[in-house]
Amino acid sequence: MKSADLAVVNCEQLLTCRGQIPKRAVALQDVGLLEKACIASYKGKIIFLGEEKKFKKEVRLEEDGTYIDGTSLIALPGFVDSHTHLPFAGTREEELVLRLKGYSYQELAKKGLGIQTTVKATRQASKKDLLSLSLNRLDGMLLLGTTTAEAKSGYGLNLKDEIKQLETLEELNRVHPIDIVPTFMGAHEIPEEYKSRKNDYIELLIDKILPEVKEKNLAEFFDVFCEEGVFSVEETRKLVKAAKAAGLKIKIHADEFSSLGGAKLAAEEKATSADHLINITEEGIKELAKSQTAATLLPAVSFFLMHEKKAPARKLIEQGAIVALATDFNPGSSMTESMLFVLQLAVFSLKMSIEEAINAATANAAYALAKHEEVGSLGVGKKMDVVLWDVPNYPTLVYHLGINPLKHIIKNGKIVVQDGTIVVQEGKV
Ligand code: NIG
Ligand code: FE
């Protein structure tokens, strides 16, 4: 008999998303479905999953343990949102209004709107402001099923304000149930004051800000916007090499608006992920497919910017790339915290199957953060991060649009959301 301190009994369907991770090609079709299943944990780790008969034989729930009735509920691993720009100040709804009048995102950036607007607001904000803004957003993410989230700096673009954003993330990770994976993205844009001397900014990033980030241990990943008018492939390579030498893992904003070759570079540099890929070339697809670098697709961006062009999810999957999904939550090109919405967009606009989308938002998303041994799938020894959805079967998560059927969340083996309401006080569970 194994002792459990929490058990969810008799779920209609339990999607484990386990198997060999990362998942490629046809393996993405397998969500590890168990019917009428139980899952139990002890001290935050899964100790059992399987059918009720076996559960009764093998597991003893401690007297003061938590029992959850899974009848008429569907259990999934918590979503892993592997790409967000969480700690920003200010919003940019006026840009949406201008885009509706015909201006493009890039035209607005040239007018000094775009990222620079958020940089100004974020520089002005105190750490306390950023903290309270981000806490609200994290609550929103949690209530839509995310239990692990990556979050980037990149709206400070100087030593003080990049550190401020990263220290905000450190504090958020202490006080919010969502596990936060911090990314240093000082190379998100060239700040106004360095516009005519980009090389000086690259030097500042490499010689001053990166060492400080490292010294204070504020980031696990380094990310860079490899894009026409921002950082070229060669500049990106230089930044990436410096970040790797400082011990950070790598992500690259690649081939978003132009086919610069960021995906190929990500594969060459063994980045953990290449993100966006709306304009990836055939060569880029081939290089990613044979690499260990995840191809993280952000379908909310094409939707939000009203672009006809979408990331070639089908081609990437068919050629064997490790496809993951994320929100890219940011105020300019994807104002959504919702992985549920991203799951739906992946199916309706990228033509992924429901199973592929679920694996891409869980198991492969965890791989895109190098956390697949802990989260993103349900198996003995992994974290008990489970979301219970009030739907009759898992395809309904995608089929029924515009509602939030989330019922309960168990994070680290503790109930943090009950009947759609957050029940923990501030503090890690
Ligand atoms: O991932 N592409 C660059 N950065 C963000 C947009 C940031 C912004 O508009 O504020 C993105 O799409
Ligand atoms: Fe982004």
Side-chain angles (χ1 to χ4, degrees):
M1 267 322 226
K2 292 179 219 156
S3 271
D5 55 20
L6 181 140
V8 189
V9 176
N10 195 32
C11 302
E12 276 337 294
Q13 297 182 320
L14 188 145
L15 278 60
T16 64
C17 300
R18 66 186 166 182
Q20 203 191 334
I21 299 166
K23 298 190 182 207
R24 301 175 188 257
V26 286
L28 274 162
Q29 293 295 347
D30 182 7
V31 287
L33 175 65
L34 304 176
E35 310 260 2
K36 298 277 180 211
C38 305
I39 180 163
S41 62
Y42 185 69
K43 294 199 162 129
K45 294 270 161 60
I46 298 169
I47 55 142
F48 174 91
L49 16 66
E51 57 177 34
E52 200 169 354
K53 246 188 49 232
K54 207 164 160 242
F55 170 77
K56 283 191 174 139
K57 254 196 252 151
E58 292 182 15
V59 181
R60 191 190 66 86
L61 183 62
E62 289 181 336
E63 239 161 62
D64 56 352
T66 307
Y67 174 94
I68 299 167
D69 183 6
T71 310
S72 82
L73 301 177
I74 305 297
L76 260 76
F79 290 132
V80 176
D81 190 349
S82 68
H83 183 143
T84 86
H85 298 257
L86 174 74
F88 62 85
T91 52
R92 302 197 337 236
E93 54 276 30
E94 77 283 5
E95 282 177 37
L96 171 61
V97 175
L98 288 168
R99 285 195 289 106
L100 290 168
K101 290 188 176 144
Y103 291 95
S104 73
Y105 176 79
Q106 279 141 310
E107 280 166 348
L108 294 175
K110 278 195 197 119
K111 278 173 172 294
L113 291 166
I115 294 179
Q116 302 288 2
T117 314
T118 305
V119 172
K120 275 186 210 123
T122 306
R123 283 179 176 180
Q124 272 165 22
S126 66
K127 210 193 280 178
K128 206 165 147 231
D129 295 337
L130 281 184
L131 204 62
S132 92
L133 285 165
S134 307
L135 273 173
N136 266 327
R137 295 171 189 148
L138 283 172
D139 283 353
M141 287 164 87
L142 185 66
L143 289 170
L144 289 155
T146 296
T147 50
T148 300
E150 183 260 16
K152 303 172 200 297
S153 67
Y155 290 121
L157 308 184
N158 61 31
L159 178 66
K160 169 168 114 354
D161 296 304
E162 284 294 309
I163 298 291
K164 177 177 77 186
Q165 280 195 290
L166 290 171
E167 285 178 347
T168 302
L169 295 178
E170 194 182 40
E171 179 65 12
L172 288 168
N173 199 27
R174 267 199 290 272
V175 300
H176 199 276
I178 292 183
D179 285 324
I180 293 167
V181 181
T183 297
F184 168 48
M185 198 180 178
H188 190 196
E189 178 55 290
I190 298 113
E192 279 303 325
E193 61 278 18
Y194 279 91
K195 270 282 176 219
S196 57
R197 39 191 192 110
K198 190 178 0 171
N199 281 333
D200 292 352
Y201 185 58
I202 294 175
E203 231 169 74
L204 176 77
L205 284 171
I206 294 176
D207 297 339
K208 292 256 156 48
I209 313 185
L210 187 59
E212 181 97 1
V213 169
K214 200 51 214 166
E215 158 81 24
K216 295 194 155 140
N217 197 19
L218 288 172
E220 278 183 45
F221 282 91
F222 178 83
D223 195 346
V224 36
F225 193 10
C226 181
E227 183 61 53
E228 228 168 70
V230 193
F231 296 99
S232 70
V233 169
E234 281 323 306
E235 288 160 348
T236 301
R237 195 191 300 276
K238 185 172 172 188
L239 286 159
V240 161
K241 286 206 186 294
K244 280 206 257 185
L248 297 183
K249 293 185 282 267
I250 305 298
K251 293 181 164 288
I252 300 181
H253 277 60
D255 301 324
E256 180 179 4
F257 297 110
S258 54
S259 306
L260 221 57
K264 185 167 178 257
L265 174 71
E268 275 166 20
E269 289 298 330
K270 300 193 169 33
T272 307
S273 72
D275 300 37
H276 281 290
L277 310 176
I278 298 171
N279 283 289
I280 188 172
T281 58
E282 292 293 333
E283 191 197 0
I285 296 175
K286 280 206 180 71
E287 295 299 323
L288 269 192
K290 64 179 193 215
S291 77
Q292 302 298 321
T293 299
T296 300
L297 309 184
L298 313 164
V301 175
S302 294
F303 180 83
F304 194 87
L305 297 182
M306 295 172 277
H307 285 175
E308 284 301 315
K309 197 151 183 196
K310 320 258 184 314
R314 290 258 49 90
K315 271 192 185 168
L316 283 159
I317 292 172
E318 274 149 29
Q319 295 195 31
I322 303 160
V323 170
L325 288 165
T327 59
D328 194 16
F329 176 42
N330 78 77
S333 67
S334 183
M335 188 63 177
T336 180
E337 298 90 332
S338 177
M339 281 298 284
L340 185 60
F341 179 50
V342 165
L343 197 73
Q344 292 159 349
L345 284 176
V347 173
F348 285 101
S349 79
L350 300 185
K351 308 288 192 293
M352 288 170 70
S353 73
I354 294 171
E355 292 77 11
E356 287 168 344
I358 289 174
N359 275 318
T362 55
N364 278 5
Y367 176 82
L369 291 179
K371 300 267 184 251
H372 52 293
E373 303 290 348
E374 287 162 54
V375 296
S377 59
L378 305 176
V380 171
K382 292 201 170 162
K383 258 195 198 194
M384 183 70 165
D385 285 3
V386 174
V387 179
L388 294 160
W389 299 93
D390 189 4
V391 284
N393 46 53
Y394 74 83
T396 300
L397 282 177
V398 173
Y399 163 69
H400 196 159
L401 303 174
I403 57 153
N404 183 6
L406 189 140
K407 182 85 171 165
H408 309 308
I409 301 183
I410 300 139
K411 173 75 192 157
N412 280 337
K414 301 230 171 70
I415 297 181
V416 294
V417 172
Q418 192 159 27
D419 289 312
T421 304
I422 298 177
V423 291
V424 279
Q425 296 304 312
E426 272 197 6
K428 213 74 198 161
V429 290

